[in-house]
Amino acid sequence: MSRALTATLLDLSELTVLTEAATGAYAVTAVLAAMAGARHVYAFTKPTRHGTPGDARQQTLELADSVGVADRIDVLEQITPDILNQTDIVTNSGHLRPLTAALIDKLPKEAVIALMFEAWEFRPNDLDMQACLRRGIPIVGVNERHPAVDVFSFLGPLCVKQLHDCGLPVYKNRIGVLCDNDFVGSLRAGLTNSGASVETFDSVEAVYRDEWDAIIVALRPAAQPRIGSPEATHLAACAPAGGIIVQFWGDMDRTVLSANGLAVWPTAPPALGHMGILLSEIGPEPIVRLQAGGLRAAECVRRSRPVSTDGFAQIVTRPLVELSPIHTRSLPR
């Protein structure tokens, strides 16, 4: 966490942050904000399948206490108008979602919302964009490929971990990667560096029959599942007996895949629009980098610093209903 703060030059002095108190790797978010000098951090929590509010409180405050910032973090189960009225940065975190118009309308006009992933990954269901536009409150994405963040470089190892979990060594495996977005280079590099033979495709129709050990699906989520009946039929014709469809990102109709004789990993479906494996599955490092970068991007905009293509911050400028977020099911996240 200290290395991430040094790398990003995150400075939240004189700013108040509203984020989540969470469990696992996501307990770092509130603590990073406090370590970066935030005037105060309000960390909202609620029950999830990952833990109780008590779990989130304990993990967040124990981590905060270990670095001497617990006195600047309040863990909350209710957000009052008074808190919203003094907030400078709100994070688009799992416990806070969706960020409603009622919440946004109570923020100061100078406030910003930290998307906590890249702008092109914006998902309209996360927050009321029309309320942000009406209030002039920026929605700030983070450049995950900035050298101080570099989360994309973790996607290849994450995909390798997912394949290991489903019983494939990756080394010497024949892997098809079905990807229509910027993940493709990182996925290909990670799999190739682990010894796989890899072919990439930007559409289901482009996939051809081969002795695939697995076909990785990494398609941007849309209003309908990216793998429906026609797509499942095509993939079944391309995959050998025993081939596996691995859901890295992008919603799939698992019923039609099973009806076509295809196995699917992971066995439990992720939430709609979310990844099939959490970044935290390969350790806290990518989460720490992402959260520090997301806060840094929001800080830049809050302090009216220039937004450039090689900087930290990206601005969501219009509601693109077809976009959905990169990261994980609510871990919480």
Side-chain angles (χ1 to χ4, degrees):
M1 292 168 70
S2 296
R3 289 197 302 268
L5 294 178
T6 299
T8 58
L9 302 177
L10 178 63
D11 176 13
L12 297 175
S13 57
E14 302 305 315
L15 299 179
T16 296
V17 177
L18 172 60
T19 185
E20 67 178 359
T23 55
Y26 286 94
V28 305
T29 312
V31 184
L32 279 168
M35 289 174 67
R39 177 171 49 208
H40 205 81
V41 180
Y42 294 102
F44 176 73
T45 188
K46 63 184 179 182
T48 72
R49 62 188 181 84
H50 301 286
T52 65
D55 296 329
R57 176 185 297 274
Q58 179 181 356
Q59 293 184 35
T60 299
L61 293 181
E62 282 183 355
L63 182 60
D65 187 61
S66 73
V67 291
V69 296
D71 61 324
R72 279 186 285 120
I73 299 175
D74 280 343
V75 177
L76 314 165
E77 292 183 56
Q78 182 177 2
I79 302 170
T80 64
D82 179 62
I83 290 170
L84 295 173
N85 291 340
Q86 60 182 291
T87 294
D88 296 285
I89 294 172
V90 182
T91 65
N92 175 41
S93 300
H95 286 175
L96 289 169
R97 292 196 295 258
L99 299 176
T100 63
L103 181 150
I104 293 164
D105 284 343
K106 292 181 177 64
L107 296 173
K109 66 179 189 306
E110 302 86 2
V112 301
I113 292 174
L115 197 59
M116 307 304 276
F117 41 80
E118 292 207 346
W120 66 272
E121 304 166 88
F122 173 72
R123 178 177 62 189
N125 289 342
D126 279 1
L127 58 93
D128 192 320
M129 187 170 191
Q130 293 303 325
C132 291
L133 293 171
R134 172 168 44 79
R135 292 287 321 284
I137 292 177
I139 303 168
V140 185
V142 55
N143 177 10
E144 296 184 26
R145 286 163 276 195
H146 189 285
V149 183
D150 197 23
V151 171
F152 269 38
S153 293
F154 290 91
L155 296 177
L158 184 66
C159 188
V160 170
K161 169 70 163 60
Q162 192 177 31
L163 289 169
H164 286 171
D165 288 346
C166 79
L168 292 174
V170 183
Y171 180 69
K172 296 298 184 183
N173 282 151
R174 178 75 170 147
I175 307 294
V177 176
L178 178 54
C179 184
D180 63 355
N181 55 74
D182 290 353
F183 290 177
V184 65
S186 299
L187 295 177
R188 180 173 53 229
L191 293 166
T192 301
N193 290 341
S194 294
S197 173
V198 180
E199 295 290 340
T200 61
F201 309 94
D202 61 7
S203 69
V204 173
E205 295 75 20
V207 180
Y208 55 79
R209 181 164 183 79
D210 206 330
E211 292 301 309
W212 309 112
D213 293 295
I215 296 175
I216 308 291
V217 173
L219 299 171
R220 289 168 65 175
Q224 299 297 323
R226 295 303 307 274
I227 306 297
S229 184
E231 294 81 12
T233 300
H234 180 79
L235 292 177
C238 295
I244 303 171
I245 307 300
V246 177
Q247 185 177 6
F248 188 78
W249 187 41
D251 304 323
M252 306 191 303
D253 187 331
R254 289 167 170 250
T255 301
V256 297
L257 286 165
S258 297
N260 279 275
L262 293 167
V264 182
W265 186 268
T267 54
L272 292 177
H274 293 277
M275 290 175 64
I277 182 170
L278 302 170
L279 273 169
S280 57
E281 289 296 312
I282 54 175
E285 179 81 7
I287 303 303
V288 170
R289 285 171 169 264
L290 180 64
Q291 304 306 86
L295 289 168
R296 176 66 165 123
E299 180 220 331
C300 290
V301 175
R302 174 61 181 80
R303 298 195 193 277
S304 301
R305 293 175 179 157
V307 174
S308 62
T309 56
D310 60 349
F312 286 94
Q314 304 171 341
I315 304 296
V316 178
T317 56
R318 56 197 177 96
L320 299 173
V321 296
E322 73 273 14
L323 299 186
S324 295
I326 161 179
H327 295 291
T328 70
R329 322 168 246 195
S330 299
L331 163 94
R333 194 196 182 1

